[in-house]
């Protein structure tokens, strides 16, 4: 019975402490809300965003006061947190805007949907290219694949263990062979 009384007393003391902290927080909220909101409104420009950020600043104050000693200069602490939140929001907005603009550009640059006939023609062309490359001399096929994959002459030379000066003439020969084989295959089909 004595143990349960001690437990009840501890629980009541905790509730009283939290209740007084809650009343104190409400007073801080009432005192500083308008000025914190006004700063954020000027900073971000959007009333709804400013309200969200102000609430976030007060939530951080509440959590901070529960885990650490009370803030000595509450107004200064709140303004500093609110300013940081506002600046982060602006940065996020700019970053998001940049991503959206980039996505819009990609959507504009993408070709329109191809018709089934065009898709079939492209697939047939790919099939012919693969057949030609498989029938070519292996080194020449590799040269063409590497060059049309965007590698420089120097990169091709180091990949295939060739002299960089020889890449140009070798590519010309490989392209000639490719064109010759491609034309003959295209005529057959």
């Amino acid at each position: 019975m004595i143990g349960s009384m001690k437990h009840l007393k501890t629980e009541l003391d905790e509730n009283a402490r939290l209740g007084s902290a809650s009343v104190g927080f409400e007073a801080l909220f009432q005192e500083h809300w308008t000025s914190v909101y006004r700063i954020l409104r000027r900073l971000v420009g959007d009333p709804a965003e400013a309200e969200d950020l102000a609430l976030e600043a007060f939530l951080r104050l509440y959590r901070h006061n529960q885990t650490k000693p009370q803030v000595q200069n509450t107004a200064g602490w709140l303004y500093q947190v609110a300013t940081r939140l506002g600046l982060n929001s602006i940065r996020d907005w700019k970053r998001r805007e940049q991503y959206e603009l980039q996505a819009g550009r990609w959507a504009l640059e993408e070709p329109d949907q191809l018709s089934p006939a065009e898709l079939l023609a492209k697939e047939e062309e790919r099939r012919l290219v693969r057949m030609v490359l498989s029938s070519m001399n292996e080194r020449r096929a590799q040269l063409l694949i590497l060059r049309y994959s965007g590698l420089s002459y120097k990169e091709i030379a180091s990949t295939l263990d060739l002299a960089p000066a020889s890449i140009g003439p070798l590519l010309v020969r490989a392209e000639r062979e490719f064109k010759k084989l491609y034309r003959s295959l295209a005529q057959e089909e």
Side-chain angles (χ1 to χ4, degrees), residues 134-147:
S134 67
S135 67
M136 285 178 65
N137 171 303
E138 188 176 337
R139 177 169 282 169
R140 288 182 180 171
Q142 287 175 336
L143 273 166
L144 289 174
I145 291 169
L146 293 174
R147 182 61 183 159

Side-chain angles (χ1 to χ4, degrees), residues 40 53 56-57 60 80-90:
L40 287 166
L53 294 172
E56 176 67 25
R60 289 185 182 189
Q80 187 177 30
V81 169
T83 303
R84 286 182 183 154
L85 287 169
L87 292 172
N88 286 343
S89 174
I90 291 168

Side-chain angles (χ1 to χ4, degrees), residues 139 142-143 145-147 151-164 167:
R139 177 169 282 169
Q142 287 175 336
L143 273 166
I145 291 169
L146 293 174
R147 182 61 183 159
L151 271 65
S152 67
Y153 282 18
K154 189 175 184 179
E155 293 168 326
I156 294 170
S158 68
T159 302
L160 298 178
D161 199 28
L162 297 169
I167 299 299

Side-chain angles (χ1 to χ4, degrees), residues 40-63:
L40 287 166
R41 172 79 191 271
R42 274 188 253 137
L43 191 60
V44 297
D46 179 22
E49 180 74 11
E51 188 175 329
D52 287 345
L53 294 172
L55 288 172
E56 176 67 25
F58 280 101
L59 177 64
R60 289 185 182 189
L61 174 66
Y62 185 78
R63 288 180 179 160

Side-chain angles (χ1 to χ4, degrees), residues 104-119:
R105 270 190 232 115
W106 287 339
L108 291 174
E109 291 172 0
E110 286 182 11
D112 295 333
Q113 293 289 338
L114 298 176
S115 70
E118 291 170 326
L119 287 172

